[in-house]
Amino acid sequence: MDKKKQLEELKSRKDKFEYKGNLVEYQLLGNRHNEERYMTYEVDPFNQYQNFLYKRALFGLKIYNQDEISVMKKEKRARISKVHRKTQKILNVYKQEVVNMLSNNIFKKLFPNSSITKALLGDLEFVDNDFVSTLDFKTLGITKDHIVNRLIQEKILPKNFYELKSITLHD
């Protein structure tokens, strides 16, 4: 009998697609457990200019549209491409260093007294500049701050990168 009543109520609604649930409350209050939201959003600590410099180093000319590239001087395009290539090489080596560190830690824990482990750990600084690492930063636990610090260390980004103020980007 109760199901018949519910069906009649559904049929008698003026709009059959009207939602009769807690969605409005869910949209306003969000997904909560113990009065804390499940979903927290990452806040970017960098301003617009800092992000511009970071992305230009990481992505090169890809951050510009064709109109901006055609107006840009040849020397500036060459400089941006050169910095981009250098950045990619630096980050590729950095990824290899992180992989080496992680794999060495695994070998130390699993095979602490093995002669193979001692031989592998002896060559901690081995990186191949020709090898292109396809692992992404998230998998390796590399954050944007790690990348920025490495690029500052390698003089790709300015030393005062963290102190830069947001400026109008017209250049």
Side-chain angles (χ1 to χ4, degrees):
M1 186 77 169
D2 196 29
K3 284 196 177 211
K4 285 185 181 181
K5 187 177 179 183
Q6 287 176 345
L7 285 173
E8 287 301 319
E9 185 181 317
L10 285 173
K11 287 180 185 177
S12 65
R13 275 193 297 185
K14 57 185 169 196
D15 185 2
K16 293 180 183 175
F17 299 106
E18 184 179 311
Y19 180 74
K20 281 189 151 188
N22 294 330
L23 185 61
V24 173
E25 183 181 307
Y26 181 78
Q27 287 175 334
L28 293 175
L29 301 176
N31 197 2
R32 294 182 176 266
H33 175 68
N34 294 334
E35 294 306 315
E36 291 188 27
R37 288 185 183 265
Y38 281 111
M39 188 66 145
T40 55
Y41 296 100
E42 183 178 328
V43 178
D44 189 8
F46 301 120
N47 62 41
Q48 182 184 8
Y49 184 59
Q50 289 169 322
N51 278 318
F52 170 73
L53 293 176
Y54 171 79
K55 288 179 180 179
R56 187 170 65 178
L58 235 60
F59 305 115
L61 292 172
K62 292 178 188 172
I63 67 166
Y64 296 103
N65 60 36
Q66 288 300 322
D67 296 335
E68 292 171 323
I69 292 173
S70 64
V71 173
M72 202 179 290
K73 291 182 181 177
K74 183 179 178 183
E75 293 83 17
K76 184 173 181 177
R77 285 194 310 257
R79 183 174 44 86
I80 291 171
S81 294
K82 180 181 175 184
V83 168
H84 171 65
R85 282 191 305 274
K86 187 175 178 184
T87 301
Q88 292 305 310
K89 287 179 183 178
I90 289 167
L91 293 178
N92 188 48
V93 168
Y94 184 49
K95 285 180 183 181
Q96 289 182 51
E97 290 172 358
V98 170
V99 168
N100 287 346
M101 182 189 66
L102 293 172
S103 61
N104 287 341
N105 287 339
I106 290 171
F107 274 106
K108 279 184 205 175
K109 288 180 183 175
L110 293 178
F111 311 107
N113 299 323
S114 171
S115 59
I116 295 173
T117 301
K118 291 176 184 172
L120 286 172
L121 296 180
D123 196 12
L124 290 173
E125 300 299 319
F126 176 74
V127 289
D128 184 4
N129 291 328
D130 296 329
F131 176 74
V132 177
S133 178
T134 57
L135 295 170
D136 59 358
F137 295 122
K138 189 174 183 179
T139 304
L140 296 174
I142 299 173
T143 63
K144 189 173 183 177
D145 286 331
H146 293 134
I147 295 169
V148 167
N149 290 334
R150 185 61 173 243
L151 294 179
I152 291 171
Q153 179 185 352
E154 297 288 338
K155 297 183 174 118
I156 297 290
L157 293 175
K159 283 189 267 187
N160 65 343
F161 180 80
Y162 288 109
E163 289 84 38
L164 291 175
K165 302 285 185 230
S166 193
I167 61 170
T168 305
L169 301 175
H170 54 62
D171 188 37

